[in-house]
Amino acid sequence: VQLQASGGGLVQIGGSLRLSCEASGRTSSAYAVGWFRQAPGKEREFVASISLSGGSSYYAESVKSRFTISRDDAWNMVYLQLNGLKPEDTAIYYCAAPGLGRQPNEYPYWGQGTQVTVSS
């Protein structure tokens, strides 16, 4: 499976972005999907994940209530809505599959990442 992340950009504090993860090869409907992020000099960290059915989702404490993960299997897409952005959210955001866990090594397939920069 190939994953393509997009939607990043430069935004001011408090702003919003919607990241997209498109699956090809095999459809995203076959997988649970996770989002991770990596800031310069830091380890890659879990952000959110969504189950195969979309009925369950999980979030890092740092983003809970601000970020929302969703999926549209008709379009092979998984989205991550980022609201109330803070400078500490600045990172490259990656989607990965299949998996629900919080550890990067649980996911065999990764997208190329999309940069999110929050300016102060």
Side-chain angles (χ1 to χ4, degrees), residues 92-105:
I92 300 174
Y93 284 70
Y94 300 88
C95 58
L100 282 176
R102 297 173 182 263
Q103 299 302 318
N105 60 14

Side-chain angles (χ1 to χ4, degrees), residues 23-73:
S24 61
R26 293 184 65 177
T27 64
S28 69
S29 61
Y31 298 106
V33 175
W35 282 95
F36 288 76
R37 65 186 181 186
Q38 188 166 19
K42 295 188 177 181
E43 294 186 351
R44 192 167 296 189
E45 66 174 0
F46 172 79
V47 176
S49 60
I50 189 166
S51 65
L52 179 63
S53 69
S56 297
S57 55
Y58 305 91
Y59 297 91
E61 284 298 321
S62 60
V63 307
K64 195 175 292 185
S65 79
R66 299 188 297 123
F67 292 6
T68 303
I69 191 170
S70 62
R71 65 190 302 152
D72 184 346
D73 291 336

